[in-house]
Amino acid sequence: LAIVPATLMAAAFPALAETVSHAPQRAIRLHRTTLAVLGAAGVSACAVMMLVPELIVGLLYGEGFAGSARVLFALGPCALLTFINYLQTHMLVALGEVRAQMVISLSLIGVNVAANALLIPRFGGAGAAWATALTELGLLAACTPFVHRGLQRALAEAEAA
């Protein structure tokens, strides 16, 4: 499933990176458009995973894996967050905020490990899915202010020039 946002970002990233410094207004529009596309794809993936997890597991893996449907259900919100985070982390790179992206990502490794340690013993695979969702939510919360400030800074610099 991760190939969907990866493919979309592979197509959008060059234009995002180029327009940030030369045409920030266009970069802002492109960011919004890409966010809408990735958001719609993520909502669709989330809905399918949460509405018919038993069907998906049955089709892909057979009845022997029916118990994993609840894990797939729990991973549904992660799909939406992951799709959007592909954009936000790529935007940090396009904005020259590679250090911030690295610090955020490394910090969230600790969050993920701690959440897994707390949730897996009690909830099993669903706990691991919730830890992933928590990590993705943390990534979104940490990246979004940097992206917003970076786009506003690029716009202000272009207007001043």
Side-chain angles (χ1 to χ4, degrees):
L1 190 58
I3 198 161
V4 174
T7 301
L8 291 169
M9 284 312 306
F13 183 73
L16 284 165
E18 180 184 338
T19 58
V20 163
S21 60
H22 296 37
Q25 197 63 266
R26 184 169 171 239
I28 291 169
R29 284 192 307 273
L30 185 55
H31 179 265
R32 287 180 183 150
T33 300
T34 307
L35 179 60
V37 170
L38 286 169
V43 165
S44 298
C46 176
V48 169
M49 292 168 73
M50 294 185 79
L51 291 174
V52 291
E54 295 87 2
L55 176 65
I56 295 168
V57 169
L59 287 172
L60 292 176
Y61 305 108
E63 293 302 315
F65 289 88
S68 64
R70 84 181 178 111
V71 175
L72 185 61
F73 175 86
L75 282 169
C78 297
L80 172 59
L81 294 167
T82 298
F83 278 40
I84 293 170
N85 282 335
Y86 262 87
L87 171 61
Q88 297 300 74
T89 55
H90 278 73
M91 282 304 301
L92 288 177
V93 174
L95 291 162
E97 294 285 357
V98 178
R99 182 172 287 166
Q101 194 253 5
M102 182 184 65
V103 169
I104 291 167
S105 295
L106 290 174
S107 299
L108 285 167
I109 291 171
V111 169
N112 185 263
V113 169
N116 275 298
L118 290 171
L119 296 172
I120 290 174
R122 182 170 169 104
F123 301 105
W130 297 332
T132 300
L134 179 65
T135 304
E136 291 288 345
L137 190 58
L139 182 60
L140 181 62
C143 289
T144 298
F146 278 100
V147 170
H148 178 74
R149 281 193 303 267
L151 287 170
Q152 294 306 310
R153 183 180 62 246
L155 187 59
E157 289 171 1
E159 289 173 355

